Amino acid sequence: MNRVNTYLEAHDLQSRDIRDVIDEFCDEISKMEGTCIDIGCGPGTITKEVFMPKLPKETLVVGSDISKKMLDHAKEEYKDEKRLSFSELDIQTKKIPSNLVGAFDNAVSFYCLHWCQDIRQVFGNIHQLLRPGGKSLVLFLASNTGFDTYLSLSENPLYKPYMQDVHKYIPYFQHSNNPRMTLKKIIEESGLQVLHCSCREKTFIFNSLSTLEKHAQAVNPFTPRMPAEIRKKFETDQSNDMVRRKISFVSGDDESENNVKVLDRYHVLVAYFEKPSAPNQEKDSTSKQKKNGLIS
């Protein structure tokens, strides 16, 4: 997403979940030596302030993102950080740049991969980025009712012209019956060994309707395409539809709009895996990829 300032003001849900996972896997992260790539680093805040303090002191980090605006902010904000650099990368690319193939001892990605539709390509690319024996930790959304709001509003004739590619922004696992099993299979078929894979229900309370609206606007890919008058109506309709799908309640005796809170229930996927280092493991993984049509 390209709305840097808006995102920085409204990403506490993502930040909390990332901190939880980083704390949970702090022992594993403390052993991530060498060079690590952070896939989907955004403005670099989490990379620098939350992730890097858990790494060994000599580990180098490359923050990557598809958004040039996010990277420009990160490069300027952290230009004096000698262990941290940034590079533009689409993790769904059909061809990883040759200088990045086998360039990393570790890879992480926090709250990014749900924006990717070609999940098999994503994990195939992570396999390419890693050196043999390299490990990776990823966290991303499996499902959230906010994406069903996208689908609903895309049928409105007023918004439909600006949402022709709506399915591009719906998580791969949004309507999956067993996201954990499916993700585990995809990772394994990409030639990687799964060390942990889980699907978890999470909750988050937005302390006001305006807070929910800010979070929704920060990652909305459609409103920048819309004329101002349509955008304003869309944001109102989006907020109303999202609240309808979640749990709203009033805290205390004050029933004014400013005191309405919204409980969000959603699911995230967490996976920790490695690229096999033994030649026979690599051979078995390659055979499995060929069998499943991942490589020719």
Side-chain angles (χ1 to χ4, degrees):
M1 299 302 137
N2 292 314
R3 304 169 77 172
V4 180
N5 292 332
T6 305
Y7 181 81
L8 287 170
E9 293 173 358
H11 72 295
D12 39 338
L13 179 153
Q14 296 95 318
S15 178
R16 185 208 61 181
D17 289 354
I18 294 169
R19 289 175 187 273
D20 286 349
V21 165
I22 287 177
D23 286 344
E24 178 182 348
F25 286 86
C26 62
D27 289 344
E28 290 79 4
I29 293 171
S30 71
K31 300 172 185 175
M32 289 185 171
E33 299 178 333
T35 304
C36 180
I37 184 169
D38 182 358
I39 300 163
C41 67
T45 310
I46 293 294
T47 310
K48 173 61 178 65
E49 298 179 7
V50 183
F51 176 58
M52 288 185 66
K54 302 292 185 181
L55 289 168
K57 293 185 182 300
E58 301 303 318
T59 300
L60 302 178
V61 178
V62 176
S64 70
D65 205 281
I66 195 174
S67 169
K68 187 176 183 302
K69 288 186 178 180
M70 288 287 188
L71 290 176
D72 287 345
H73 173 90
K75 288 176 182 178
E76 178 61 27
E77 185 72 15
Y78 303 111
K79 60 186 177 183
D80 296 327
E81 295 296 332
K82 295 181 180 180
R83 294 170 52 210
L84 178 60
S85 61
F86 297 93
S87 178
E88 189 171 344
L89 175 67
D90 177 4
I91 193 57
Q92 293 187 99
T93 183
K94 298 299 182 183
K95 185 175 177 58
I96 290 289
S98 58
N99 64 308
L100 298 182
V101 175
F104 301 97
D105 300 285
N106 299 282
V108 298
S109 183
F110 304 117
Y111 259 87
C112 165
L113 302 185
H114 51 271
W115 297 116
C116 299
Q117 288 300 306
D118 196 345
I119 291 294
R120 291 182 181 275
Q121 185 71 51
V122 165
F123 286 97
N125 286 344
I126 293 176
H127 181 279
Q128 287 195 63
L129 291 170
L130 289 172
R131 296 181 179 123
K135 293 182 172 62
S136 180
L137 174 65
V138 300
L139 158 70
F140 59 101
L141 279 172
S143 61
N144 188 299
T145 57
F147 294 105
D148 290 326
T149 290
Y150 284 173
L151 292 172
S152 176
L153 293 180
S154 70
E155 296 301 315
N156 185 317
L158 183 62
Y159 310 132
K160 194 169 187 176
Y162 309 99
M163 304 180 73
Q164 293 294 315
D165 58 348
V166 62
H167 289 282
K168 178 181 175 181
Y169 299 99
I170 306 300
Y172 181 90
F173 296 97
Q174 176 73 5
H175 302 117
S176 172
N177 291 327
N178 194 332
R180 178 197 170 277
M181 181 184 71
T182 304
L183 175 61
K184 184 174 183 290
K185 182 179 180 183
I186 289 173
I187 295 174
E188 290 174 340
E189 290 176 350
S190 299
L192 298 158
Q193 181 180 354
V194 175
L195 305 174
H196 170 91
C197 187
S198 60
C199 183
R200 310 169 179 191
E201 183 178 78
K202 303 283 285 185
T203 61
F204 186 85
I205 295 177
F206 295 98
N207 287 321
S208 68
L209 293 177
S210 62
T211 303
L212 172 62
E213 291 168 1
K214 285 181 180 179
H215 277 75
Q217 293 166 20
V219 296
N220 190 303
F222 309 110
T223 50
R225 310 170 178 177
M226 299 176 179
E229 64 277 8
I230 294 180
R231 183 188 308 134
K232 185 174 181 180
K233 178 172 172 50
F234 178 91
E235 289 175 350
T236 299
D237 288 348
Q238 179 187 20
S239 177
N240 290 339
D241 191 89
M242 289 179 68
V243 170
R244 179 177 64 83
R245 297 173 188 274
K246 302 183 189 299
I247 301 172
S248 58
F249 60 97
V250 176
S251 177
D253 298 327
D254 183 2
E255 298 186 9
S256 66
E257 183 174 307
N258 290 335
N259 205 37
V260 174
K261 301 182 186 298
V262 181
L263 174 66
D264 194 7
R265 295 173 60 198
Y266 55 98
H267 291 83
V268 299
L269 285 158
V270 177
Y272 180 59
F273 49 92
E274 68 178 341
K275 181 174 182 175
S277 55
N280 61 327
Q281 287 180 293
E282 287 282 14
K283 184 176 180 181
D284 292 343
S285 296
T286 301
S287 299
K288 185 178 289 187
Q289 289 184 73
K290 287 182 177 179
K291 180 180 178 181
N292 290 281
L294 296 177
I295 60 176
S296 56

